[in-house]
């Protein structure tokens, strides 16, 4: 059985190889460790191996891990579906939200972001797979949404996030991630972030400009959603 530290080394070398192949700067891609369903001890182990940024999908689970790991210098990213009744806790307890897909949620996050914290970093989740995915704004709605979010005072719009339809076909992966990159370029806003690529498709995402890859399974093993 491989340890989390071994997995981190493997994923880091995959990222490094993809960055080199794309002729990109070595520091232009960051690893976001997606730790949903994993116990706090697994995050502690990853932190000991150098990971600082963690992505969580479920608010209550994330908050309880944050309490358990309060002694560690971790940076928390919310990457799950956002609902109005969760925005206050998200605004108070995270540095980033990757999954904003409507203005109402962004407005609440801005209003509820504590003034003693820096602005909340935001990525707009965009749906580039059409019917195949229900979350994310449509490419057609993106320009107006991005402009409106970029004007909210307590948020910093950093870029886009996408979860294309899973496929092992590299050409299809490349096409989906290229579409995200070109949507971002078309916005004409000062954006520096593309959150895209997971365990199975991070090479393609990096080739197409990803700056955060969000990796769960390849770091922590398969998830068991049926644990007590
Ligand atoms: C679970 C999840 C990931 C990680 O997926 P893996 O295939 O386990 O690497 C990345 N992004 C989001 C939004 C997720 O929900």
């Amino acid at each position: 059985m491989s340890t989390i530290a071994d997995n981190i080394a493997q994923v880091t070398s995959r990222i490094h190889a993809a960055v080199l192949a794309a002729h990109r700067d070595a520091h232009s891609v960051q690893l976001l460790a997606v730790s949903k369903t994993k116990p706090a001890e697994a995050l502690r182990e990853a932190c000991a191996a150098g990971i600082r940024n963690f992505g969580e999908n479920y608010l209550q689970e994330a908050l309880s891990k944050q309490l358990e790991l309060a002694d560690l210098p971790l940076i928390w990213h919310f990457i799950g579906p956002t609902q109005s009744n969760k925005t206050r806790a998200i605004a108070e307890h995270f540095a980033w939200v990757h999954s904003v897909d409507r203005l109402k949620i962004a407005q609440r996050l801005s209003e509820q972001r504590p003034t003693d914290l820096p602005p909340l970093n935001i990525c707009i989740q965009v749906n580039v797979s059409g019917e195949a995915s229900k979350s994310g704004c449509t490419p057609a709605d993106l320009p107006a949404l991005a402009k409106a979010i970029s004007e909210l005072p307590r948020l910093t719009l950093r870029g886009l996030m996408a979860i294309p339809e899973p496929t092992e076909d590299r050409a299809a992966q490349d096409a989906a991630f290229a579409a995200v990159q070109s949507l971002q370029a078309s916005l004409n806003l000062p954006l520096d972030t593309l959150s895209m690529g997971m365990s199975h498709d991070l090479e393609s995402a990096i080739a197409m400009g990803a700056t955060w890859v969000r990796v769960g399974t390849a770091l922590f093993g398969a998830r068991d959603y049926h644990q007590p």
Side-chain angles (χ1 to χ4, degrees), residues 140-158:
D141 290 341
L142 178 64
L145 181 61
K147 173 138 199 315
I149 291 179
S150 72
E151 290 164 359
L152 292 172
R154 301 290 302 139
L155 307 183
T156 302
L157 180 62
R158 300 294 299 268

Side-chain angles (χ1 to χ4, degrees), residues 34 36 57 79 161 163 198-200 214-218 223:
V34 175
K36 61 179 179 240
N57 296 57
I79 64 171
M161 183 274 241
I163 311 174
M198 316 201 300
S199 293
H200 69 287
R214 306 178 314 272
V215 180
T217 309
R223 285 177 291 273

